């Protein structure tokens, strides 16, 4: 079945550092790919998405490019802030599928 | 704020009991999804409803049931609760409930079974 593999955390960074969280997927056909973020004590918020190969999703300084050749959707941000401390989830919705399949989540802590 | 509301925010109950979690979707959304987030299983899809009808089923236990009402709000019923049912339960909604559609999540209900 469809699945998502995320790099394991936790990840600890200093403010203004570069962040990358690796995400690879296994799916038949052409899934849609998503990044969700969960801030402490809150629900999941959609961060960005991409629906076809080579699409780049971007939001709040975060970017991810849908790479079909490497089945990847890595999340990047050039300069993180303390407020970016959260758990980040990579997810996919497969072809002919209604549900989201999530990765295990990566906890990111940004120190001032 | 996603526009999806869930009540209650927290729930503490005992083993063997039954609870009901409630979700109101975003205005205009016809489809509702339920997910369970636990430490050992991560985020797991439970069930989807579209305009009152069940559309897809995931890893939902037989002790759990759900429904979507004519006003489109949904309830997730958990019965004969066990310690392992302690988790964060999320509701999400989407406009048409079609494949690969973006889902918007509520703040979740944290259930603790003692």
């Amino acid at each position: 079945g469809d699945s998502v593999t995320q790099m394991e955390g936790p990840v600890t960074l200093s403010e203004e550092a570069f962040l990358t969280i690796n995400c690879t997927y296994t799916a038949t056909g052409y899934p849609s790919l998503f990044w969700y973020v969960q801030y402490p004590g809150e629900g999941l918020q959609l961060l960005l998405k991409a629906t076809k190969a080579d699409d780049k999703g971007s939001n709040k300084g975060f970017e991810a490019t849908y790479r079909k050749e490497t089945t990847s959707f890595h999340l990047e941000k050039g300069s993180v802030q303390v407020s970016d401390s959260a758990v980040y989830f990579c997810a996919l919705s497969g072809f002919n599928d209604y549900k989201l399949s999530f990765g295990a989540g990566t906890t990111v802590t940004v120190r001032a | 704020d996603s526009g999806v509301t869930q009540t209650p925010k927290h729930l503490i109950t005992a083993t063997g009991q039954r609870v009901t979690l409630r979700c109101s979707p975003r205005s205009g959304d016809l489809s509702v999804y339920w997910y369970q987030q636990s430490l050992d299983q991560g985020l797991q899809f439970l069930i989807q409803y579209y305009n009152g009808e069940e559309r897809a089923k995931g890893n939902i236990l037989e002790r759990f049931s759900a429904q979507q009402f004519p006003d489109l709000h949904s309830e997730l019923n958990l019965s004969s609760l066990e310690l392992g049912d302690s988790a964060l339960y999320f509701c999400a909604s989407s406009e048409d409930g079609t494949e690969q559609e973006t889902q918007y999540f509520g703040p979740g209900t944290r259930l603790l079974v003692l």
Side-chain angles (χ1 to χ4, degrees):
Chain A
D2 297 344
S3 66
V4 174
T5 303
Q6 274 182 252
M7 64 181 278
E8 291 193 18
V11 174
T12 303
L13 302 163
S14 298
E15 238 180 350
E16 299 183 5
F18 183 86
L19 170 68
T20 183
I21 304 176
N22 289 340
C23 170
T24 57
Y25 67 89
T26 301
T28 54
Y30 296 88
S32 289
L33 301 173
F34 305 84
W35 277 100
Y36 283 85
V37 58
Q38 187 176 27
Y39 296 104
E42 297 185 16
L44 294 167
Q45 296 179 26
L46 177 67
L47 186 56
L48 54 84
K49 69 175 185 179
T51 58
K52 60 183 189 296
D54 300 324
D55 263 3
K56 178 185 279 189
S58 60
N59 186 26
K60 300 181 182 180
F62 289 90
E63 292 183 340
T65 301
Y66 188 143
R67 300 282 188 206
K68 183 138 183 82
E69 63 276 13
T70 54
T71 61
S72 65
F73 193 54
H74 305 321
L75 183 68
E76 296 180 336
K77 185 173 186 182
S79 177
V80 294
Q81 305 300 313
V82 172
S83 57
D84 294 323
S85 298
V87 182
Y88 293 82
F89 292 91
C90 185
L92 72 79
S93 184
F95 182 70
N96 276 343
D97 201 356
Y98 301 103
K99 71 178 187 298
L100 287 168
S101 297
F102 286 88
T106 302
T107 301
V108 173
T109 302
V110 180
R111 300 195 189 282
Chain B
D1 186 354
S2 67
V4 179
T5 60
Q6 288 187 248
T7 55
K9 192 164 185 174
H10 300 279
L11 204 45
I12 302 174
T13 188
T15 54
Q17 295 298 304
R18 172 189 169 94
V19 297
T20 298
L21 282 53
R22 183 188 168 103
C23 167
S24 293
R26 295 186 319 159
S27 177
D29 285 358
L30 297 177
S31 193
V32 168
Y33 310 76
W34 287 97
Y35 290 83
Q36 179 194 59
Q37 185 180 33
S38 62
L39 284 175
D40 53 345
Q41 297 289 324
L43 267 158
Q44 299 280 322
F45 167 72
L46 295 178
I47 197 163
Q48 178 201 6
Y49 278 82
Y50 172 75
N51 206 20
E53 300 289 326
E54 182 184 307
R55 174 165 277 184
K57 213 166 191 177
N59 302 321
I60 188 165
L61 299 172
E62 285 195 14
R63 300 184 285 109
F64 296 1
S65 64
Q67 52 184 326
Q68 186 180 26
F69 294 87
D71 67 352
L72 300 176
H73 92 271
S74 178
E75 292 181 357
L76 179 67
N77 299 295
L78 314 177
S79 61
S80 302
L81 285 166
E82 302 175 359
L83 296 177
D85 298 327
S86 296
L88 191 51
Y89 291 85
F90 285 111
C91 170
S93 73
S94 70
E95 193 173 335
D96 297 320
T98 53
E99 301 94 329
Q100 304 188 342
E101 197 175 28
T102 299
Q103 297 176 26
Y104 297 89
F105 283 74
T109 293
R110 187 170 295 279
L111 173 66
L112 180 59
V113 182
L114 299 176

